[in-house]
Amino acid sequence: MTDAGTGRVLVVTAREQAAEGIVALGLRDPAGADLPAWTPGAHIDLVLGDGLVRQYSLCGDPADRTAWRIAVQRARAGRGGSAFVHDGLHPGAMVVSRGPRNHFPLLPSPRYLFIAGGIGITPLLPMIAAVDAAGADWELAYGGRTATAMAFAATLRAAHGDRVALWPRDERGRLDVDGLLSDRRPDVLVYCCGPAPLLEAVEARCADRPAGTLHVERFTPRDAGEAEQAEPFDVELAASGLTLTVPPEKSILEVVEEAGVHVLTSCREGTCGTCETTVLAGTVDHRDSLLTPGERAAHDTMFVCVSRATGSKLVLDL
């Protein structure tokens, strides 16, 4: 059941305790209709009430169009989204979703190294299933606070044995990123999802690897530093016929919304990809946490919640 203005209404049909502080939910269309297709690495938005919109990775089977599965960790210092899921979403509850979208796609390769930290295991689960079914060579290093807080760990180890290395921090310390990434063949694709310190360590260790071999997904935005220019710039909205001025203290998204032009948005931090917009002319000061260096260099797309112009004008397909 879909409402073009608010998204797709789903019903919670299953709930289980996946680990300490983590619940897994099954979501279906109330009328039994097929859900949109998705690929490993995709996520959906959940609209959780009181203006809360949160992104959760799909961690079920892409071949099953009847149901989606997500897993949500209760954040000890969160902003209310995970508490809403844990306390309010039980079987029979209705929730609005948007998506799916995929800014963390699984690319073909003969070999993979997956590195997960905590709830970062979720987007990697369908990836592992896909590469295992394809006969690729792969390994998973999975770290967490404690063994009891690591969702799906026992199932992964039982299914795949020594391909899965579990690193409960209270037993083994932090993941040995240097050891994991030393002497890796250049055709090994590295997929990593987890907290910022893990991503930063993996990115530093992979700095000398061939471009395109490291793929990461972030829960929080990276530090983009200072904007390239502190001057106002214009945005021409080609579809709306408006030209607007963006001052230094406002985002493109804020200015466009103030002009009454609707842009689908969610995180407003440059991490979810919801507000991706086609750039028709101009160069972009990319400040998101999603695009690769090659995608940034093309200057043909941007995330208007955080990115800006490097020159005096951008022309956008809005």
Side-chain angles (χ1 to χ4, degrees), residues 3-258:
D3 181 314
T6 58
R8 179 178 299 272
V9 178
L10 301 177
V11 60
V12 179
T13 56
R15 175 177 166 128
E16 63 176 298
Q17 196 72 31
E20 178 185 313
I22 299 175
V23 294
L25 302 180
L27 305 170
R28 294 178 182 264
D29 184 281
D34 279 354
L35 299 176
W38 60 281
T39 54
H43 70 267
I44 58 172
D45 296 342
L46 290 187
V47 182
L48 301 174
D50 294 330
L52 293 175
V53 181
R54 297 292 183 266
Q55 295 75 45
Y56 299 109
S57 296
L58 292 171
C59 59
D61 179 3
D64 182 3
R65 297 286 300 278
T66 68
W68 286 341
R69 191 185 196 206
I70 61 170
V72 180
Q73 181 176 42
R74 185 187 283 272
R76 284 173 284 181
R79 294 172 293 174
S82 66
F84 187 102
V85 172
H86 277 250
D87 298 337
L89 293 188
H90 295 270
M94 298 292 206
V95 65
V96 173
S97 73
R98 299 196 302 236
R101 289 180 299 275
N102 196 343
H103 292 281
F104 190 43
L106 179 66
L107 301 180
S109 176
R111 297 172 182 84
Y112 298 86
L113 172 63
F114 298 104
I115 303 175
I119 197 64
I121 189 62
T122 50
L124 304 184
L125 291 174
M127 293 186 180
I128 289 168
V131 302
D132 192 63
D137 183 18
W138 65 272
E139 299 173 50
L140 167 66
Y142 178 13
R145 182 170 46 85
T146 64
T148 57
M150 296 170 64
F152 314 112
T155 302
L156 283 164
R157 191 60 187 270
H160 302 295
D162 290 341
R163 286 181 184 241
V164 176
L166 302 179
W167 292 72
R169 191 162 64 247
D170 62 337
E171 298 176 22
R172 300 187 63 181
R174 296 187 181 277
L175 278 167
D176 179 12
V177 171
D178 286 341
L180 288 170
L181 291 165
S182 64
D183 301 322
R184 289 284 174 178
R185 296 174 49 150
D187 62 349
V188 174
L189 293 189
V190 180
Y191 279 80
C192 180
C193 184
L198 173 62
L199 298 185
E200 290 164 4
V202 171
E203 287 177 324
R205 190 61 180 79
C206 289
D208 59 352
R209 291 181 60 81
T213 58
L214 173 62
H215 303 267
V216 302
E217 182 162 68
R218 300 177 181 277
F219 300 141
T220 56
R222 75 171 91 206
D223 182 4
E226 294 295 324
E228 291 191 24
Q229 68 170 10
E231 302 298 321
F233 60 91
D234 290 337
V235 288
E236 179 183 335
L237 310 185
S240 303
L242 298 175
T243 297
L244 308 171
T245 298
V246 181
E249 71 276 9
K250 290 187 177 182
S251 69
I252 295 175
L253 177 62
E254 289 171 324
V255 170
V256 168
E257 288 179 330
E258 287 172 1

Side-chain angles (χ1 to χ4, degrees), residues 294-306:
E295 290 168 334
R296 292 180 174 218
H299 294 287
D300 58 3
T301 191
M302 70 182 298
F303 300 96
V304 293
C305 64
V306 291

